[in-house]
Structures are given as structure tokens and as C-alpha cells.
């Protein structure tokens, strides 16, 4: 298929290269020339503007946005809504706020443009391992784009790791809860390794955290991709000295807790995991370094300075 991709940084670039490797034609746009060059080298076609991207795609057109939630995505959707035509489809694959999706879909539907909100998990490893996709929107658009989803998704027993979760908003809602759970899993692992690092002296020399992580990777009930990523970082430096211990939160954890409050659902662990990230901006612990190490592993995240994260905490992107 022909597809346009707006935003070809860490995950967007991986999406483009995976599609190119499976025979799709990708027309790409990004404000970073270096990001564009990276996917053009893999066979993508560069577009100097959104208008040029639309012009270079065959009809009906499909365009995948892989941009930060908030103003950047809003701006791109507004611009593309004036360039696309009846029968085209616009996909938001970023971590958008789920309540925005139905409103956005209704606005585009008036112009005959379909909208899909696609929660995308897999991080920078998705290019190699495959992505996990959670899709919200009209069935006809999902069926039409099935070759794209099949190429992107991690292979599974049911044909692939993607689901049409429901109407617009459902894809981003499921991904939001996924990320809330991710916070809790990461926090449990971080606290556990902090306890191991401060084990009682009567147990002898300090535990080898790298070997413990490697041992747990094989056959234990806590084995996971997160543990794999942490084991890699601990093998490089068991003290994780390259990490400050200050940990960002990118929005989905907050939205999960806000939704739990709105629905009257108890979310003790997920709430504690979110607040633990806030606490790292005042007092850092080894557990914060463990969280940062995992975030770098799956998403290529580099933590901002504490002062910048405090400012973000006080002025969240959504809602």
C-alpha cells in the first residue's frame, strides 16, 4: 500500500522502515532533516511539506501521524484536514488523549475523511520485534488498512498483535490503560532492585544485580521484556551511573488515574507508581535510575532535568 507518515523520529522511523521492508511505499515528512534522511536511506520518499506529501500519495490516501500529543498533533490534523479529500483516512498513532478522538473523528467525518486512533506499543524495538496496535475507529477503514497493520504487528497465534478495540477513542483508551499498567510494573521492578541493592550486611558482599536480573530472565514468573532491557543496562553498569534518577511521566499515567477517579475504580498500585515518579523530582533513589534505564531501553527516552520535569508536572499536556 501507499502510506504517508508524519513524524519519523524514534518510533515513527521504525514504523516506516518496517513497512518499507514489507514492500509498502512510504512518503514521509518530518521537521528534522536527519530523521527524514534516515528513512529515505531505507527506501522512503521524502516530502518537503504536508501538501507535497498528500500530492505524492495515490487515492484513496492514508496518512499516519506519529507525533507528541497536544498542540503538535492538533496542528498537523488541522492542516491535513484541509488537504485530504473524501475517502481518505487519517491515523493518529501517538499517545493522544482518548476523549479527543471522537470529536476529531466527527470533524473529519463531515469532510468524508475517516479517522483512526491507534495506540502503538513496542518502542524503538518495534521495528525489529513488531508492534502491538490498539485501534479505534470505523470498521471499513480498519479493514482497508489491514495490510499495514499486518506488516507492523508482532506476529501472534491469532494472526498478529493488533485489535480493533471499538469506536473512535477506544484505541487510545486501551493504550492509556496499557501505559498505566506499565508504570506499575516498572515501579515494582525498580523498588525490588533498590531493596536488593541495600540488602542487609549479614548476607555478605553486595548482591550482583546484573546476574540476578539475568537469572530472573530465564523461567521466572517476573521474566519480561522490561526485565530484559534492565538486565542489559545493569550488565553495562550495575550502579546505573549514567542515570540521574529523575523520572519523567509522559501523560498516559495521569490520564489513567483521572479516568479511574471518574469511573470510581480503585487503582492503588497505578496511582502510587505515578506519584513515585513525581517524588523523584525532589529526592532521587536508585529505584529512579532503574526506571530511567528501562525507559531508555524501550523508548529511547533521555530524562529532562528535574526543574523542567517539575514545570511539566504543573502544566500537563492534557486534559
Amino acid at each position: 500500500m501507499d502510506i504517508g507518515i508524519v513524524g519519523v523520529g524514534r518510533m515513527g522511523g521504525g514504523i516506516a522502515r518496517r513497512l518499507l521492508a514489507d514492500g509498502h511505499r512510504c512518503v514521509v515528512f518530518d521537521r528534522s532533516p536527519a530523521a527524514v534522511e534516515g528513512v529515505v536511506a531505507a527506501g522512503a520518499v521524502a516530502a518537503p511539506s504536508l501538501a507535497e506529501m498528500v500530492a505524492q500519495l495515490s487515492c484513496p490516501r492514508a496518512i499516519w501521524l506519529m507525533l507528541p500529543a497536544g498542540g503538535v498533533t492538533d496542528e498537523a490534523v488541522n492542516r491535513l484536514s484541509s488537504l485530504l479529500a473524501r475517502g481518505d483516512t487519517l491515523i493518529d498513532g501517538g499517545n493522544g488523549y482518548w476523549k479527543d478522538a471522537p470529536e476529531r473523528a466527527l470533524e473529519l467525518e463531515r469532510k468524508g475523511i475517516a479517522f483512526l486512533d491507534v495506540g502503538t506499543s513496542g518502542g524503538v524495538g518495534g521495528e525489529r520485534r513488531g508492534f502491538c496496535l490498539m485501534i479505534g475507529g470505523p470498521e471499513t477503514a480498519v479493514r482497508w488498512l489491514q495490510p499495514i497493520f499486518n506488516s507492523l504487528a508482532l506476529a501472534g497465534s491469532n494472526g498478529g498483535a493488533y485489535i480493533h478495540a471499538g469506536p473512535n477513542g477506544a484505541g487510545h483508551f486501551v493504550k492509556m490503560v496499557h501505559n498505566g499498567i506499565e508504570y506499575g510494573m516498572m515501579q515494582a521492578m525498580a523498588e525490588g532492585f533498590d531493596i536488593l541493592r541495600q540488602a542487609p550486611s549479614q548476607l555478605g558482599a553486595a548482591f550482583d544485580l546484573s546476574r540476578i536480573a539475568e537469572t530472573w530472565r530465564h523461567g521466572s514468573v517476573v521474566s519480561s521484556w522490561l526485565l530484559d532491557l534492565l538486565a542489559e543496562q545493569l550488565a553495562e553498569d550495575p550502579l546505573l551511573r549514567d542515570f540521574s534518577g529523575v523520572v519523567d511521566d509522559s501523560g498516559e499515567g495521569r490520564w489513567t488515574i483521572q479516568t479511574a477517579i471518574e469511573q470510581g475504580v480503585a487503582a492503588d498500585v497505578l496511582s502510587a507508581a505515578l506519584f513515585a515518579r513525581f517524588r523523584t523530582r525532589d529526592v532521587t533513589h536508585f529505584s529512579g535510575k532503574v526506571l530511567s534505564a528501562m525507559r531508555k531501553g524501550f523508548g529511547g527516552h533521555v530524562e529532562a532535568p528535574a526543574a523542567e520535569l517539575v514545570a511539566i508536572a504543573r502544566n500537563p499536556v492534557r486534559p
Side-chain angles (χ1 to χ4, degrees), residues 77-102:
V77 170
N78 291 337
R79 176 63 176 140
L80 286 167
S81 68
S82 67
L83 296 170
L84 295 174
R86 184 170 294 276
D88 294 342
T89 300
L90 187 58
I91 305 153
D92 180 6
N95 286 320
Y97 185 47
W98 71 272
K99 288 185 178 180
D100 292 343

Side-chain angles (χ1 to χ4, degrees), residues 4-76:
I5 302 177
V6 181
V8 286
R10 293 190 298 261
M11 281 185 70
I15 285 171
R17 285 186 290 270
R18 189 169 173 90
L19 290 174
L20 289 163
D22 212 24
H24 301 283
R25 177 177 177 267
C26 297
V27 182
V28 302
F29 171 78
D30 195 291
R31 292 176 180 175
S32 166
V36 172
E37 289 171 9
V39 290
V40 167
V45 178
S49 67
L50 292 179
E52 285 293 322
M53 167 181 281
V54 170
Q56 292 186 60
L57 291 169
S58 58
C59 294
R61 291 164 290 217
I63 294 181
W64 186 300
L65 303 180
M66 207 63 193
L67 300 170
V72 175
T73 295
D74 294 343
E75 181 183 340

Side-chain angles (χ1 to χ4, degrees), residues 2 8 16 39 41 59-60 74 93 123 154-155 170 180 201 224 251 253 257 266 272 287:
D2 263 18
V8 286
V39 290
C59 294
D74 294 343
L154 175 69
S201 58
S224 63
I257 303 311
S287 60

